[in-house]
């Protein structure tokens, strides 16, 4: 579940609300050890072979770790994630994260974030709508469209929070394409992938530089009862950790890190959302596989 991101810690509650906007797919696991040098990134041709399953998953959020006087003392919430589509029809993601955060001082903060996106099957166009509110305040909305021209340019047209048109580097990818590249790298035995990602989060104007570490396939059975279904029997999964950096600031600490176990069909379990001063855990409480018409491609 890779998705949307945001500026790090205006306040703890705002950080929680915006961080939910990352994504693309969801996730968790310990960062695996990388090779000394990056291996070649997965190509677009290889990503076409990746098959992603349509599914609906719910994750229960809890506070895993908190350090420092300004960090939350308690947190809980829920992520609901729907992913549907195919290599014929493109991919739709609907995501909602509701989080209650207890600061060291003061009342509980409540953040509520919704996002809906569509990405075409070839990773060439991306439509997005996102809405975030804090403590039942006025919602902040992002609405726009991005596409790659035949000449390779990546153009963005924003309707909200303000009208704006701009261009990005042609090597920037959208969230589902990013997920496919991670899976392609995992299947090829690579353990390090670096990709620039645009997902429309925050004000819709940022590109994130990402570094993904991929561990060896996991042999132990998953803990959650939700994933103990016949459709996931013998399906490989890898521990994955994705760090998101402000563009041009990879020498600094990441804005946040999203970790998870990633199944080869795109399902994620055991999420860890690391914001530096605190870490949220997201354990899958339910999983439903959705039917999708057969693709004629």
């Amino acid at each position: 579940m890779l998705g949307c991101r945001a500026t790090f810690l205006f306040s703890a509650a705002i950080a929680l609300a915006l961080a939910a906007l990352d994504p693309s797919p969801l996730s968790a696991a310990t960062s695996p050890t990388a090779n000394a040098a990056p291996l070649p990134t997965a190509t677009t041709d290889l990503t076409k072979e990746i098959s992603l399953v349509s599914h609906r998953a719910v994750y229960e959020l809890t506070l895993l770790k908190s350090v420092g006087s300004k960090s939350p003392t308690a947190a809980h919430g829920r992520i609901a994630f729907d992913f549907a589509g195919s290599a014929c029809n493109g991919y739709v993601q609907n995501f909602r994260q509701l989080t209650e955060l207890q600061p060291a001082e003061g009342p509980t903060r409540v953040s509520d974030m919704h996002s809906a996106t569509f990405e075409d099957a070839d990773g060439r166009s991306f439509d997005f709508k996102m809405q975030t509110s804090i403590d039942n305040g006025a919602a902040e909305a992002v609405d726009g469209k991005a596409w790659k021209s035949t000449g390779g340019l990546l153009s963005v047209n924003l309707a909200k929070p303000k009208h704006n048109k701009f261009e990005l580097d042609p090597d920037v990818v959208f969230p589902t394409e990013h997920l496919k590249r991670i899976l392609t790298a995992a299947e090829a035995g690579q353990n390090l992938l670096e990709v620039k990602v645009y997902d429309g989060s925050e004000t819709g104007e940022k590109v994130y530089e990402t570094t993904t570490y991929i561990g060896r396939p996991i042999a132990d059975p998953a803990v959650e009862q939700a994933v103990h279904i016949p459709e996931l029997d013998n399906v490989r999964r890898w521990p994955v950790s994705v760090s998101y950096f402000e563009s041009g600031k990879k020498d600094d600490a990441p804005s946040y890190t999203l970790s998870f176990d990633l199944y080869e069909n795109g399902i994620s379990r055991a999420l860890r959302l690391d914001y530096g001063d605190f870490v949220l855990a997201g354990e899958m409480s339910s999983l439903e596989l959705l039917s999708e018409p057969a693709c004629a491609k």
Side-chain angles (χ1 to χ4, degrees), residues 121-139:
D122 295 323
R124 301 194 63 83
S125 68
F126 181 60
D127 294 64
F128 50 94
K129 293 180 182 291
M130 304 172 189
Q131 184 172 294
T132 304
S133 62
I134 305 294
D135 296 335
N136 297 317

Side-chain angles (χ1 to χ4, degrees), residues 28-33 213-216 218 238-242 257-261 270 272:
T30 337
S31 298
T33 305
Y213 295 101
I214 307 164
R216 295 180 179 180
I218 301 169
W238 296 267
V240 172
S241 179
V242 187
T257 298
L258 180 62
S259 302
F260 49 101
D261 283 3
R272 298 291 182 270

Side-chain angles (χ1 to χ4, degrees), residues 37 67 83 94 150 225 238 275:
V67 295
F83 178 89
N94 285 286
T150 52
Q225 204 57 40
W238 296 267
Y275 304 111

Side-chain angles (χ1 to χ4, degrees), residues 65-72 276-279:
K65 185 178 75 171
S66 181
V67 295
S69 59
K70 295 184 179 180
S71 300
D277 290 338
F278 65 95
V279 180

Side-chain angles (χ1 to χ4, degrees), residues 86-104:
S86 68
C88 290
N89 303 319
Y91 304 97
V92 173
Q93 290 188 37
N94 285 286
F95 180 94
R96 183 178 184 184
Q97 178 171 335
L98 183 65
T99 309
E100 294 186 6
L101 178 73
Q102 178 58 59

Side-chain angles (χ1 to χ4, degrees), residues 19-269:
L21 285 171
D22 162 288
S24 320
L26 308 170
S27 342
T30 337
S31 298
T33 305
N35 287 339
L39 292 173
T41 57
T43 66
T44 303
D45 288 341
L46 290 176
T47 64
K48 292 179 180 179
E49 304 301 320
I50 297 296
S51 180
L52 302 175
V53 67
S54 298
H55 65 283
R56 176 177 296 122
V58 176
Y59 303 83
E60 305 300 328
L61 296 175
T62 56
L63 183 64
L64 184 65
K65 185 178 75 171
S66 181
V67 295
S69 59
K70 295 184 179 180
S71 300
T73 59
H76 68 274
R78 175 173 291 181
I79 289 173
F81 177 73
D82 283 21
F83 178 89
S86 68
C88 290
N89 303 319
Y91 304 97
V92 173
Q93 290 188 37
N94 285 286
F95 180 94
R96 183 178 184 184
Q97 178 171 335
L98 183 65
T99 309
E100 294 186 6
L101 178 73
Q102 178 58 59
E105 298 180 1
T108 300
R109 309 298 304 276
V110 179
S111 64
D112 190 2
M113 194 286 300
H114 306 248
S115 73
T117 67
F118 172 78
E119 185 174 333
D120 83 328
D122 295 323
R124 301 194 63 83
S125 68
F126 181 60
D127 294 64
F128 50 94
K129 293 180 182 291
M130 304 172 189
Q131 184 172 294
T132 304
S133 62
I134 305 294
D135 296 335
N136 297 317
E140 297 181 2
V142 180
D143 186 350
K145 179 180 179 64
W147 67 94
K148 294 183 179 182
S149 67
T150 52
L153 289 177
L154 198 166
S155 302
V156 179
N157 188 349
L158 287 178
K160 295 178 181 180
K162 61 181 179 181
H163 287 279
N164 191 13
K165 295 182 179 180
F166 54 93
E167 293 181 346
L168 300 174
D169 292 340
D171 59 344
V172 172
V173 305
F174 304 130
T176 302
E177 175 68 16
H178 185 205
L179 173 62
K180 287 184 173 182
R181 292 195 182 196
I182 292 172
L183 285 167
T184 301
E187 292 186 351
Q190 299 179 15
N191 63 4
L192 180 61
L193 181 70
E194 295 185 310
V195 181
K196 295 178 182 178
V197 178
Y198 177 79
D199 61 11
S201 62
E202 201 174 337
T203 61
E205 297 175 331
K206 277 195 173 183
V207 170
Y208 283 87
E209 298 184 24
T210 70
T211 297
T212 301
Y213 295 101
I214 307 164
R216 295 180 179 180
I218 301 169
D220 295 336
V223 175
E224 300 97 319
Q225 204 57 40
V227 297
H228 291 183
I229 56 176
E231 293 85 352
L232 289 183
D233 286 347
N234 303 315
V235 176
R236 288 179 299 173
R237 73 182 197 275
W238 296 267
V240 172
S241 179
V242 187
S243 294
Y244 295 89
F245 297 86
E246 298 277 347
S247 184
K249 297 183 179 180
K250 290 201 74 174
D251 290 336
D252 298 340
S255 295
Y256 73 97
T257 298
L258 180 62
S259 302
F260 49 101
D261 283 3
L262 178 62
Y263 287 87
E264 60 184 325
N265 58 13
I267 292 175
S268 298
R269 64 165 292 273

